[in-house]
Amino acid sequence: MTTHHYHQQSTQIKQYTTQQRTQQTTTQLYSLKPAALPLMDSGKALARSGELLIDLTSKLDLYGGGLSAAGANIRNCGDCLAQAGASARMKTATELVIDELREGSDCLREGTDKLTRAVEESEVDGNTVLKNKIGKMIVPMKQASLWLEEVGASILQKESLDVIAGHLISTGEALLLLSMTVEVLDEESEDGKLSAQRMVYASEQMILAGKELKGEKKEKPKGKSW
């Protein structure tokens, strides 16, 4: 084979590979479109939840500590999810979706480290009750981070929609558990309750994103409509 023919064949192979990759990417992303809107809503609600958690730390005189830093991580994760949802509406933005999901996962992972710091701070302050409450946030936040990472990985590896949907639902379930721990941080605080409520909604929308991706039909309300 001459050098000219070799380069010509090599170029054709590259063009074919690129074309195949583009086709796969387009097909893969287009199929994510049903999850786009609930994923955006989940992200917006989670970002608001994080902001309210930061507000709560100001009232607890903990602003600037580990707990408020974890709140910032939750807010940043929400921003990433909202952006991932926005990108999922476009046919050519698979890599953006994966990057945003990965970054969101990293935010929550960093948040678990900040919670560990918050536990240590509470121990130094001699606040055993708060220390225990914050400690209960660590496992569900870590779980949410791991499942969110799995969502991105499964899209990257072009796994089935059912697999991706399952990871979205698991992420939502972990957020629901996290919301329960946020709600009891300070039961007299409106910010704490609102933060938990926004996180519950983020959880519900994340689970809905998974169900929409699977193509599950919404259940019709049973009984009479009054």
Side-chain angles (χ1 to χ4, degrees), residues 86-97:
S87 298
R89 295 180 301 179
M90 298 181 285
K91 293 182 181 180
T92 54
T94 306
E95 288 182 13
L96 288 175
V97 175

Side-chain angles (χ1 to χ4, degrees), residues 24-91:
Q24 287 174 347
T25 299
T26 303
T27 307
Q28 181 69 41
L29 185 68
Y30 189 69
S31 61
L32 293 177
K33 196 173 181 181
L37 191 58
L39 190 57
M40 279 178 66
D41 287 343
S42 177
K44 289 174 186 175
L46 191 62
R48 183 64 185 138
S49 176
E51 287 172 358
L52 288 161
L53 183 56
I54 295 169
D55 291 343
L56 173 63
T57 62
S58 296
K59 289 169 185 172
L60 292 175
D61 201 24
L62 296 170
Y63 186 79
L67 187 58
S68 63
N73 286 126
I74 291 170
R75 178 195 62 205
N76 295 344
C77 175
D79 289 341
C80 291
L81 291 177
Q83 188 57 54
S87 298
R89 295 180 301 179
M90 298 181 285
K91 293 182 181 180

